[in-house]
Amino acid sequence: MKRLGIIFLLLLTITACKDRNGGSRKKMAVIVSTLNNPWFVFLAQTAAAQAESLGYDAKIFDSQNNTALESDNFDNAIASGYNAILFNPTDANGSVANVVKAKKAGVPVFCMDREVNSPNAATSQILSDSYSGCVDLAKYFVQTLHKKGNYVEILGIVADNNTWNRSKGFHSLVDYYPGLKMVAQQSADFDRNKAMEVMESILQAHPDIDAVFCGNDAMASGAYQALVGAGKAEHVKVFGFDGASDVIEAIKDKKISATCMQFPKVMAQTAANYADEYFKGKRDFPRKIQVAAELVTNNNIGDYIAFGKK
Amino acid sequence: MDLANYRTSLVKFQSLIALVLLCIVLSIVSDKFLTVDNTWNVMRQISVNICISVGMTLVILIAGIDLSVGSVLALCGAITAGLLKNGIPIQSSNLYIGFTLLGAILVGLIVGSLLGLFNGWTITRFKVPPFVATLAMLTIARGLTMLWTKGFPISNLGDSFDYIGTGWFLGIPLPVWISGIVVIIAVVITKKTVLGRYIYAIGGNESASKLSGININKVKLTVYAIAGLLAAIGGILVTSRLDSAQPNAGISYELDSIAAVVIGGTSLSGGRGTIMGTVLGAVIIGVLNNGLVLMNVSPFWQQVVKGAVILLAVMIDKANSKNE
């Protein structure tokens, strides 16, 4: 029995050794803020697919919007010998310590979509410019409403930086037009069902609105659904953000007015490519790249597909 | 009526009184609150929570808890939507098994009941505490939902399916019909059937019920299966209302339904409470959600207010049961 135990232990060590050094294939960890939202699923899967197509092993870690869980994911990734981390942070400030931890362990981190507030911790950050995207969206919003009307804003999760980046970008322009009046501002947590319910209630208080701006496309779909239920879908213009497939279809059918296309595919692939170049010896990466978010309306919808360009 | 009688009836109707007070305040603050339109709006919004909360009431009456309802809801909604939209592809051929509307819904409901039954099985057969067993199911069902949907919503499910969640019948929204029928059946079960008596008996004193010859395990299995079935009905309602099965649907719904049960005066230690109390609880939460949005209260404050109401309800309930 004792001997069996020793053999078993030996076997364990051998596999462990192999896991660390024996495998010549390098590994990339994709640590993503959440997999509860199709946009991030797409981001994570694209990053993993690109890593694999470059000849690396890749595994996705889900932080479930929890910075503490994210810290565990980093520990596990570093301990199990991942050579690079393609990272979508849960929080700009809260995630800094995790990135620093990886850097100290000699594992380069490439941020995707969301930023960490530290100039040197990450090897490179490939970010989505939500703020400027929303300024473009706001321009179109003002134009479509002819600078006059009542509108509703539906915010995402109020503890999320993206929520406020988008809202601030939008208001940085819209607030200059006194004819545009925000009659309600509510949160629906980036959730389609909540957005529908919130919109249904808002429509009771303000049956005469002209437009809705939603912090993401899931909420835009939910708000649209509420407008259909109230028989107001033809009169009220809906604006979203993300470029999700349901909304792309809805813009084609002129049900939703506009969205802002982010490019998760571009960001994920760039991050994986950078990690590949890092392994091959390159060290001078741009600290920060802003990937513009582009305005999508019925006029240019032909150029776009869900989460990207044709 | 003497004072003691007056007091007990006041205690009995405390959630109704709370609801009436809430409605009076809201209709003073907003003239949009007490309208026919908004009443149907609130009723439609709470129909999902009512379905789930009825199941939760039965589970809590037997001194259990079901934390898995939100995930089961998401899984069943997604299964019905997926079967309706894509069917089941047959490996290594271009064929697939298609589903009719009724077939897809039926599979969704069966899956919900089976998951509930599984909860009951782990609880009765292996004596896993309900909190742990259903907590595990919460994670498992969510994971299965992710696997089934691959993390993406399943949308555009067709007008006849959408009718379930958005249509009207005899001037009343269909979801209200469905939740209403669920409530009636549950009231009959708890008040008029042997099963109902057993449920209260087990919650009141499990070992005494066992000694008196009640097949406790069978009752528990039935109750958890009903909770799963009702979560599945909720899932189909949510999916139909949205015209889309969301992989993250139903997150934290278990908390909303426990809140409804608790506000409705059902004791978390089992044996005491009513279905109609829970319905009142669900209405109070629904009215509160609606009223806070109508008044455009900041989203930060809304959470504080909702929590305070739950706390207040339980505090009053506790104070009263001490006096009894």
Side-chain angles (χ1 to χ4, degrees), chain A residues 35-38 41-42 45 155 158 164 183-187 191-193 196-198 200-202 204-207 218 222 225 246 307, chain B residues 32 35 37-38 41 44-45 142 146 150-153 155 238 241-244 246-248 251 253 290 292-294 296-297 299-300 302:
Chain A
L35 289 176
N36 252 335
N37 175 331
V41 175
F42 185 81
Q45 285 177 349
L155 298 163
V158 287
W164 298 111
V183 292
Q185 184 184 42
Q186 288 290 328
S187 160
D191 180 273
R192 188 162 169 157
N193 188 41
M196 178 177 66
E197 295 193 347
V198 164
E200 283 172 343
S201 295
I202 291 174
Q204 298 294 331
H206 307 283
Q225 205 72 19
D246 285 355
F307 300 134
Chain B
K32 309 289 182 186
T35 63
D37 245 19
N38 193 42
N41 176 34
R44 201 169 41 212
Q45 290 184 353
R142 181 66 60 191
M146 290 295 169
K150 301 184 179 71
F152 292 91
S155 304
V238 170
R241 237 155 89 60
L242 282 174
D243 186 23
S244 170
Q246 301 281 307
N248 61 344
I251 285 179
Y253 276 25
N290 173 259
L292 292 171
V293 173
L294 282 187
N296 202 21
V297 174
F300 299 115
Q302 290 187 17

Side-chain angles (χ1 to χ4, degrees), chain A residues 100-171:
Chain A
V100 170
K101 182 161 66 183
K103 191 186 183 187
K104 272 185 191 152
V107 181
V109 176
F110 302 87
C111 290
M112 306 179 284
D113 171 45
R114 293 170 169 178
E115 163 174 28
V116 289
N117 284 339
S118 165
N120 294 316
T123 305
S124 181
Q125 306 202 54
I126 304 112
L127 310 171
S128 187
D129 192 353
S130 294
Y131 185 92
S132 310
C134 278
V135 175
D136 290 343
L137 188 77
K139 267 182 210 153
Y140 185 72
F141 181 91
V142 172
Q143 200 185 334
T144 321
L145 291 179
H146 303 294
K147 303 177 187 174
K148 208 167 93 38
N150 294 332
Y151 71 94
V152 168
E153 180 180 8
I154 301 185
L155 298 163
I157 296 169
V158 287
D160 185 308
N161 326 17
N162 272 327
T163 298
W164 298 111
N165 269 339
R166 293 172 194 181
S167 181
K168 279 177 191 153
F170 178 79
H171 285 287

Side-chain angles (χ1 to χ4, degrees), chain B residues 2-320:
Chain B
D2 62 38
L3 203 66
N5 262 336
Y6 180 70
R7 222 198 119 75
T8 37
S9 57
L10 198 69
V11 168
K12 203 168 173 188
F13 293 112
Q14 63 189 15
S15 25
L16 192 60
I17 294 165
L19 177 62
V20 171
L21 281 178
L22 189 62
C23 289
I24 291 172
V25 171
L26 284 174
S27 32
I28 293 169
V29 181
S30 164
D31 58 337
K32 309 289 182 186
F33 176 72
L34 212 62
T35 63
V36 177
D37 245 19
N38 193 42
T39 308
W40 286 134
N41 176 34
V42 173
M43 297 282 283
R44 201 169 41 212
Q45 290 184 353
I46 62 174
S47 51
V48 173
N49 192 17
I50 284 191
C51 286
I52 301 174
S53 302
V54 164
M56 188 67 82
T57 311
L58 299 177
V59 172
I60 290 178
L61 278 176
I62 59 167
I65 192 92
D66 187 351
L67 301 178
S68 67
V69 285
S71 303
V72 171
L73 170 145
L75 179 59
C76 297
I79 285 179
T80 298
L83 293 180
L84 207 55
K85 181 134 180 146
N86 311 320
I88 299 176
I90 301 167
Q91 291 288 314
S92 69
S93 75
N94 288 329
L95 296 170
Y96 68 94
I97 307 168
F99 280 80
T100 62
L101 181 61
L102 201 68
I105 291 175
L106 215 59
V107 175
L109 297 181
I110 291 171
V111 169
S113 315
L114 288 178
L115 291 176
L117 205 60
F118 184 84
N119 277 337
W121 181 65
T122 50
I123 290 164
T124 52
R125 174 74 177 74
F126 299 97
K127 307 291 173 214
V128 180
F131 190 93
V132 180
T134 58
L135 186 64
M137 180 57 77
L138 175 147
T139 314
I140 294 170
R142 181 66 60 191
L144 291 175
T145 311
M146 290 295 169
L147 284 171
W148 175 260
T149 61
K150 301 184 179 71
F152 292 91
I154 305 171
S155 304
N156 301 325
L157 304 168
D159 289 344
S160 44
F161 181 70
D162 291 354
Y163 185 73
I164 302 170
T166 56
W168 295 68
F169 180 67
L170 299 177
I172 296 175
L174 266 186
V176 179
W177 276 106
I178 294 170
S179 58
I181 292 168
V182 164
V183 168
I184 291 168
I185 294 175
V187 168
V188 171
I189 289 180
T190 48
K191 299 248 176 195
K192 304 277 179 204
T193 66
V194 179
L195 176 66
R197 280 206 301 280
Y198 287 176
I199 287 173
Y200 281 100
I202 291 175
N205 189 334
E206 191 169 326
S207 35
S209 318
K210 203 173 200 170
L211 288 174
S212 64
I214 297 175
N215 186 341
I216 290 182
N217 286 354
K218 201 168 143 195
V219 175
K220 283 189 176 173
L221 283 171
T222 313
V223 166
Y224 280 100
I226 292 175
L229 173 68
L230 291 176
I233 292 176
I236 288 161
L237 279 179
V238 170
T239 308
S240 160
R241 237 155 89 60
L242 282 174
D243 186 23
S244 170
Q246 301 281 307
N248 61 344
I251 285 179
S252 82
Y253 276 25
E254 64 281 355
L255 299 179
D256 279 347
S257 71
I258 293 171
V261 174
V262 166
I263 293 175
T266 296
S267 156
L268 277 176
S269 45
R272 191 171 63 90
T274 58
I275 297 290
M276 287 317 287
T278 298
V279 171
L280 275 176
V283 175
I284 289 176
I285 295 176
V287 165
L288 208 57
N289 276 334
N290 173 259
L292 292 171
V293 173
L294 282 187
M295 295 190 292
N296 202 21
V297 174
S298 134
F300 299 115
W301 275 110
Q302 290 187 17
Q303 303 180 24
V304 178
V305 172
K306 279 183 234 166
V309 167
I310 295 171
L311 200 59
L312 201 68
V314 182
M315 276 157 59
I316 293 172
D317 189 50
K318 281 283 172 202
N320 283 326

Side-chain angles (χ1 to χ4, degrees), chain A:
Chain A
M1 200 60 210
K2 207 172 183 179
R3 194 177 295 167
L4 210 71
I6 291 170
I7 291 171
F8 184 69
L9 243 163
L10 210 68
L11 255 158
L12 251 179
T13 354
I14 290 167
T15 32
C17 285
K18 190 166 172 245
D19 202 36
R20 255 193 121 75
N21 309 316
S24 58
R25 259 164 90 99
K26 281 192 177 354
K27 304 192 291 183
M28 293 187 194
V30 179
I31 300 180
V32 63
S33 60
T34 176
L35 289 176
N36 252 335
N37 175 331
W39 196 90
F40 294 101
V41 175
F42 185 81
L43 181 81
Q45 285 177 349
T46 312
Q50 181 71 4
E52 275 163 8
S53 75
L54 289 167
Y56 303 99
D57 286 330
K59 184 173 180 315
I60 298 172
F61 295 77
D62 178 8
S63 307
Q64 301 179 12
N65 274 332
N66 179 339
T67 314
L69 202 58
E70 181 180 277
S71 171
D72 295 347
N73 283 337
F74 266 82
D75 289 339
N76 292 337
I78 294 165
S80 47
Y82 282 86
N83 309 88
I85 294 172
L86 312 180
F87 180 41
N88 171 247
T90 54
D91 182 79
N93 295 312
S95 298
V96 173
N98 291 331
V99 179
V100 170
K101 182 161 66 183
K103 191 186 183 187
K104 272 185 191 152
V107 181
V109 176
F110 302 87
C111 290
M112 306 179 284
D113 171 45
R114 293 170 169 178
E115 163 174 28
V116 289
N117 284 339
S118 165
N120 294 316
T123 305
S124 181
Q125 306 202 54
I126 304 112
L127 310 171
S128 187
D129 192 353
S130 294
Y131 185 92
S132 310
C134 278
V135 175
D136 290 343
L137 188 77
K139 267 182 210 153
Y140 185 72
F141 181 91
V142 172
Q143 200 185 334
T144 321
L145 291 179
H146 303 294
K147 303 177 187 174
K148 208 167 93 38
N150 294 332
Y151 71 94
V152 168
E153 180 180 8
I154 301 185
L155 298 163
I157 296 169
V158 287
D160 185 308
N161 326 17
N162 272 327
T163 298
W164 298 111
N165 269 339
R166 293 172 194 181
S167 181
K168 279 177 191 153
F170 178 79
H171 285 287
S172 72
L173 189 84
V174 171
D175 289 0
Y176 281 107
Y177 295 88
L180 291 169
K181 195 170 157 246
M182 182 167 75
V183 292
Q185 184 184 42
Q186 288 290 328
S187 160
D189 295 349
F190 289 130
D191 180 273
R192 188 162 169 157
N193 188 41
K194 276 197 189 131
M196 178 177 66
E197 295 193 347
V198 164
M199 193 64 206
E200 283 172 343
S201 295
I202 291 174
L203 282 172
Q204 298 294 331
H206 307 283
D208 53 346
I209 58 165
D210 305 295
V212 193
F213 167 59
C214 301
N216 82 345
D217 276 351
M219 297 194 294
S221 295
Y224 177 76
Q225 205 72 19
L227 289 166
V228 171
K232 294 181 197 292
E234 303 232 327
H235 313 294
V236 181
K237 300 196 163 51
V238 181
F239 298 79
F241 192 98
D242 265 354
S245 68
D246 285 355
V247 166
I248 293 298
E249 290 304 314
I251 292 177
K252 258 181 216 160
D253 302 339
K254 296 192 174 175
K255 291 173 175 169
I256 286 179
S257 297
T259 188
C260 239
M261 178 62 76
Q262 299 200 87
F263 295 94
K265 197 171 178 179
V266 174
M267 291 186 273
Q269 290 180 342
T270 309
N273 291 341
Y274 277 12
D276 175 51
E277 287 165 19
Y278 183 93
F279 293 155
K280 290 173 179 154
K282 185 175 165 178
R283 287 295 178 270
D284 53 331
F285 291 98
R287 286 276 165 226
K288 230 184 237 188
I289 302 178
Q290 297 278 5
V291 179
E294 297 177 9
L295 177 70
V296 181
T297 69
N298 188 261
N299 300 325
N300 64 0
I301 188 74
D303 302 339
Y304 296 91
I305 50 169
F307 300 134
K309 262 197 166 129
K310 266 185 185 159

